[in-house]
């Protein structure tokens, strides 16, 4: 087997590991072995760059993506990737240079146009970023992502009416755009429109039922409108994938306790106490848990006292 063939075999092995164990040492080793057999194998450099990006090891990511760019200097996608690494290490001028270079290779590269706007945002140039997004939208009116980015920019700067308009434009083009549903729902929650917020967050949750950020926000909104059983259900879905969320566990306890207060049930009380002890075993300082536990204990002793008569 010649070296190039072996390199591709090892690369395929790296991809297999990457699917089974994302960003694993096994995948890294396979890709590196691939490069030992073919030092000009661009795809292996790119894969390693992405793995190190996922690991937040930007030095290694930069090394491998620079190698990829040196081998394929006319590949706009590679330049965008390299620009993104520069962006993550706050080398904004270098990032912008890569994105502009990607545009000289492919003037129709929407990703590069949007990335330039993001750099302008990061540099604090709000007007420049907004103008860049608007120009991109004018050139590509059917593109969804520039609208979403402009909506986020408006949202971040408390330009709520403009943000709502852009999020709604995104959802007109793609009703299943989960991030737009979540952001718009969160914005309506901030503005006090609970019903609209819950409707949007429910849609986002149905499309992505395991995303804890969505479930937590939905549970928070149900608590706000005193729908405690719905809040409990949403928040329990969240901790099913990650039980070590202190704030979420406390919100479940609050939802359960408020249900218990309106309709006392021994089994519910026992479940609340078990959950409180679980939280306190991890976060002994949690004041809310201790207050609810004290309240439950007082109710228990009061009930016991009344039973003696």
């Amino acid at each position: 087997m010649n070296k190039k063939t072996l390199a591709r075999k090892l690369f395929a092995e790296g991809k297999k590991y990457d699917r089974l164990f994302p960003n694993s040492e096994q995948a890294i080793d396979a890709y590196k072995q691939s490069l030992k057999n073919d030092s000009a194998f661009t795809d292996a450099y790119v894969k390693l760059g992405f793995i190190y990006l996922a690991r937040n090891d930007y030095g290694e990511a930069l090394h491998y993506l620079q190698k990829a760019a040196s081998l394929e200097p006319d590949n706009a996608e590679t330049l965008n990737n390299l620009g993104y690494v520069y962006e993550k290490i706050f080398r904004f001028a270098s990032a912008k240079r890569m994105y502009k270079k990607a545009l000289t290779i492919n003037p129709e590269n929407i990703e590069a146009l949007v990335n330039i706007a993001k750099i302008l945002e990061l540099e604090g140039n709000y007007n420049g970023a907004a103008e860049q997004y608007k120009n991109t939208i004018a050139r590509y009116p059917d593109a969804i992502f520039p609208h979403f980015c402009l909506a986020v920019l408006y949202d971040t700067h408390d330009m709520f009416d403009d943000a709502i308009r852009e999020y709604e434009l995104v959802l007109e083009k793609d009703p299943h755009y989960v991030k737009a549903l979540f952001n718009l729902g969160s914005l309506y929650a901030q503005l006090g429109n609970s019903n609209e917020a819950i409707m949007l967050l429910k849609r986002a949750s149905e499309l992505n039922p395991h995303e804890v950020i969505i479930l937590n926000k939905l549970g928070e909104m149900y608590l706000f409108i005193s729908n405690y059983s719905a809040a409990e259900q949403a928040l329990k879905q969240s901790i099913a994938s990650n039980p070590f969320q202190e704030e979420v566990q406390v919100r479940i306890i609050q939802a359960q306790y408020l249900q218990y207060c309106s309709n006392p049930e021994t089994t519910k009380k026992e479940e609340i106490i078990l959950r409180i002890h679980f939280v306190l075993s991890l976060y002994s300082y949690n004041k809310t848990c201790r207050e609810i536990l004290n309240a439950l204990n007082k109710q228990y002793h009061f009930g016991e006292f009344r039973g003696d008569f």
Side-chain angles (χ1 to χ4, degrees), residues 223-261:
L223 270 177
F224 182 74
I225 65 167
S226 303
N227 189 340
Y228 303 126
S229 61
E232 180 184 357
Q233 183 181 355
L235 296 169
K236 278 185 172 179
Q237 279 181 257
S238 171
I239 62 164
S241 57
N242 178 12
F244 302 105
Q245 300 179 75
E246 179 184 6
E247 189 175 343
V248 180
Q249 289 281 10
V250 171
R251 282 180 179 159
I252 293 173
I253 290 165
Q254 289 173 317
Q256 290 179 324
Y257 176 67
L258 290 165
Q259 288 177 84
Y260 172 77
C261 287

Side-chain angles (χ1 to χ4, degrees), residues 105-171:
I105 294 164
N106 178 11
E108 306 300 309
N109 192 305
I110 297 177
E111 184 182 354
L113 290 166
V114 169
N115 286 340
I116 289 169
K118 287 184 176 180
I119 292 295
L120 293 168
E121 274 192 68
L122 290 167
E123 290 176 333
N125 185 351
Y126 165 80
N127 291 327
E131 194 64 28
Q132 178 75 7
Y133 286 133
K134 289 175 184 177
N135 288 340
T136 305
I137 290 166
R139 284 177 65 177
Y140 305 100
D142 294 327
I144 297 174
F145 193 52
H147 278 291
F148 177 74
C149 292
L150 182 58
V152 172
L153 180 68
Y154 286 143
D155 199 347
T156 305
H157 288 82
D158 295 342
M159 298 177 67
F160 299 136
D161 290 341
D162 293 321
I164 289 169
R165 184 188 68 245
E166 292 298 326
Y167 284 134
E168 287 179 344
L169 281 169
V170 170
L171 292 170

Side-chain angles (χ1 to χ4, degrees), residues 16 45 53 128 132 135 142 168 211 240 268 276 288 298:
K16 181 186 73 176
Y45 288 115
L53 261 177
Q132 178 75 7
N135 288 340
D142 294 327
E168 287 179 344
E211 178 50 67
K268 178 67 75 173
I276 288 173
T288 303
K298 283 179 183 176

